[in-house]
Amino acid sequence: MINSRQILEAREASQLAPYGTLSSQSKGRHYPEDEAAYRTAFQRDRDRVLHTTAFRRLEYKTQVFLNSEGDYYRTRLTHTLEVAQIGRTIARALGANEDLIEVICLAHDLGHPPFGHSGEHALNHLMDGNNGFDHNKQSYRIVTQLEQRYPDFPGLNLTWETLEGIVKHETEYDVSEASNYNPELRGSLEAQIANIADELAYTAHDLDDGLRSGMITAYQLNGHVELWDRVRDQIGWDGQHLTEMTRHRLIRRLIGVEVNAI
């Protein structure tokens, strides 16, 4: 059996929760296109983001530690992939649209400059006379203008729902930038899950990188961070000598606790 787009859309309709966003009911694209034969609209969005130059460039962009510090630490690319994995897990559990969440997660940091938030602050200062710099706005600019891959339109021509998720990635999004995406409302459930997955991922994985580097120690956390104490007790660790295996167990349990709470 070949799974046509129509079959995939029917499967969504039968499996998603009533509040899940159906690709078959998308508000469409700014520039009309024929849809794909074997992919839903959101799957097509995901593939377009994955093949961008901006996505590949995340490999050498800083999450917390510079790329030159070693290949054990997260980069903006590996962070993005981890966000997408967590987002899909939450979506599956709640009956939301996994594909829509995945593309929002994959695109959420496309506009980040090098050197993490320090780079963003520096660019914002340099652009002070020209409305500053914000990585979230830059992500939107990349997918709507800067990626030039199609002769008939600028950008990637993503669906309305994907663009809304990118625009509303931050809790306090710019209302003027969201003027075409119901600025008075929060984003779709999928957009909100993508936001949560991002926070959950960097909370756990930045901690993991900090512990690995030695810049954060278990001594600093024991008795001072309630969630740390909880996962430490759950795995039965005495809080003394932190081995690599124990660190993996702690971070894995931390993610599990947070996902289950969501």
Side-chain angles (χ1 to χ4, degrees):
M1 181 182 74
I2 296 178
N3 288 314
S4 66
R5 175 173 50 82
Q6 290 79 5
I7 290 176
L8 296 176
E9 290 173 345
R11 192 175 296 162
E12 279 185 358
S14 66
Q15 294 179 351
L16 295 190
Y19 45 73
T21 302
L22 298 175
S23 59
S24 61
Q25 295 181 10
S26 169
K27 294 182 180 180
R29 307 175 188 277
H30 184 74
Y31 301 94
E33 292 184 71
D34 293 333
E35 287 299 334
Y38 307 110
R39 293 175 294 169
T40 67
F42 301 149
Q43 289 171 346
R44 196 178 193 185
D45 282 357
R46 175 203 59 206
D47 296 345
R48 288 185 173 186
V49 168
L50 275 173
H51 289 283
T52 59
T53 302
F55 187 79
R56 292 194 295 275
R57 293 178 69 199
L58 292 174
E59 179 178 4
Y60 292 104
K61 290 186 177 180
T62 303
Q63 176 65 12
V64 173
F65 291 89
L66 295 174
N67 187 273
S68 59
E69 294 293 323
D71 54 10
Y72 288 108
Y73 301 115
R74 271 85 181 173
T75 65
R76 209 42 86 167
L77 177 60
T78 59
H79 162 72
T80 294
L81 295 174
E82 289 166 340
V83 173
Q85 180 271 311
I86 293 171
R88 290 193 71 119
T89 297
I90 298 171
R92 194 175 302 121
L94 296 180
N97 193 306
E98 291 184 47
D99 297 321
L100 178 55
I101 286 175
E102 183 177 30
V103 65
I104 296 171
C105 290
L106 292 175
H108 85 279
D109 269 353
L110 290 180
H112 242 299
F115 309 113
H117 288 284
S118 295
E120 182 169 19
H121 295 326
L123 277 176
N124 186 51
H125 175 70
L126 291 171
M127 295 290 292
D128 187 49
N130 292 280
N131 300 317
F133 178 87
D134 178 272
H135 81 270
N136 201 51
K137 295 178 183 178
Q138 183 70 1
S139 295
Y140 181 78
R141 199 174 292 125
I142 284 171
V143 299
T144 57
Q145 299 176 39
L146 300 182
E147 284 283 340
Q148 297 290 330
R149 293 178 170 270
Y150 302 92
D152 299 326
F153 49 78
L156 305 180
N157 199 30
L158 303 177
T159 60
W160 187 95
E161 292 76 14
T162 295
L163 293 175
E164 182 204 33
I166 295 172
V167 167
K168 297 182 180 180
H169 171 60
E170 296 176 337
T171 302
E172 296 300 327
Y173 56 84
D174 191 308
V175 173
S176 63
E177 292 289 327
S179 59
N180 294 321
Y181 304 96
N182 298 329
E184 74 282 0
L185 300 175
R186 286 292 173 212
S188 64
L189 177 68
E190 287 81 3
Q192 295 180 53
I193 290 174
N195 284 346
I196 292 171
D198 181 32
E199 293 189 28
L200 194 160
Y202 68 65
T203 297
H205 294 143
D206 291 357
L207 174 62
D208 189 21
D209 285 350
L211 288 167
R212 176 187 284 276
S213 71
M215 294 183 69
I216 299 174
T217 67
Y219 176 79
Q220 293 172 302
L221 300 170
N222 290 334
H224 300 287
V225 180
E226 180 182 351
L227 192 54
W228 169 267
D229 291 340
R230 190 196 312 176
V231 298
R232 183 198 62 204
D233 293 342
Q234 286 181 1
I235 71 167
W237 179 52
D238 62 8
Q240 298 305 309
H241 178 59
L242 181 63
T243 65
E244 185 172 8
M245 180 60 70
T246 300
R247 194 185 76 250
H248 289 320
R249 293 178 65 201
L250 286 163
I251 298 303
R252 186 165 61 246
R253 181 59 62 94
L254 174 60
I255 294 172
V257 166
E258 292 182 320
V259 168
N260 288 339
I262 292 167

